[in-house]
Amino acid sequence: MATKAEQRERTRAEIVRLATARFAEHGYAGVALEELMTEAGLTRGALYHHFGSKQGLFQAVVEQAQHGVAQAVEQASTGHGDVLDDFLAGCRAFLEASLAPEVRRILLIEGPAVLGWGEWREGDLDTSVRLLDEGVAELVAAGVIETSSLDTVSTMLSGALNEVAIANAASPDPARGIDDAVETLARFLLGLRPAAAT
């Protein structure tokens, strides 16, 4: 027999699952809460109890997407035997994960618009950007690159990867777009090699 806390968590997860599919297909403005609650077999009051508002629900959906992408990146960025290969594999995993409609539309397009740049960025800093910062720091520690500003390198890479992810979503050949982006990123990083290594 499930406890009340377990039942609440299951209900919350089911609402987020259904909302993710609807927001990915119709966008934030195109989702009617009444239809979503009917599909979930719940009342509008249940949604407000769990999330407070439609925007609160959307924020939960964005946070889940952010954590899902970060998990994919983390899993991909280990075990390649080389810190640069690990880093590039993580970047590739981000771009591949971003092809999913719930990531592209919810996370990269609607998230900043609905939540506001500051709130969206805060979640991004805790997930993907945190991993990017760690990866850049590992590249410096291993002597692969040299920089006096880790933040600048991470910020530039984050912006570039987000833009490639958005562009790839409309590309007729996203796999090639990912290959080109990762190759270009590798060349960019090699340009930051310590002077003694060039």
Side-chain angles (χ1 to χ4, degrees):
M1 196 73 181
T3 65
K4 286 187 178 181
E6 289 170 338
Q7 183 60 42
R8 277 196 303 270
E9 188 55 38
R10 278 207 295 264
T11 299
R12 188 180 193 279
E14 179 63 5
I15 295 171
V16 170
R17 185 186 70 79
L18 294 172
T20 297
R22 285 186 172 263
F23 285 132
E25 184 176 357
H26 304 291
Y28 181 80
V31 173
L33 292 184
E34 291 78 8
E35 293 177 5
L36 179 60
M37 291 300 93
T38 298
E39 184 180 358
L42 299 168
T43 65
R44 193 181 184 105
L47 180 136
Y48 288 117
H49 171 73
H50 287 284
F51 305 100
S53 65
K54 180 180 178 180
Q55 184 165 327
L57 172 59
F58 184 75
Q59 182 171 4
V61 168
V62 168
E63 287 172 359
Q64 180 171 281
Q66 287 173 324
H67 286 286
V69 170
Q71 185 177 27
V73 169
E74 208 158 15
Q75 288 174 349
S77 60
T78 57
H80 298 276
D82 178 86
V83 66
L84 180 58
D85 289 342
D86 283 348
F87 184 82
L88 293 173
C91 293
R92 177 180 292 278
F94 170 80
L95 294 174
E96 289 173 347
S98 297
L99 291 176
E102 63 272 17
V103 175
R104 178 181 53 81
R105 185 166 192 175
I106 292 171
L107 193 55
L108 299 175
I109 298 173
E110 302 233 350
V114 174
L115 299 179
W117 171 254
E119 194 166 331
W120 177 87
R121 180 67 171 159
E122 190 174 316
D124 195 42
L125 288 171
D126 288 340
T127 53
S128 294
V129 174
R130 174 182 57 80
L131 294 174
L132 199 56
D133 287 343
E134 291 172 4
V136 170
E138 288 172 5
L139 291 173
V140 172
V144 176
I145 66 171
E146 184 176 64
T147 177
S148 59
S149 178
L150 295 177
D151 288 346
T152 298
V153 174
S154 292
T155 299
M156 290 179 69
L157 294 178
S158 177
L161 288 168
N162 284 340
E163 286 299 315
V164 169
I166 292 170
N168 275 349
S171 169
D173 190 359
R176 179 175 178 180
I178 291 173
D179 288 343
D180 289 347
V182 172
E183 181 184 343
T184 301
L185 177 58
R187 293 174 66 190
F188 169 79
L189 291 171
L190 290 174
L192 295 176
R193 285 178 298 180
T198 56

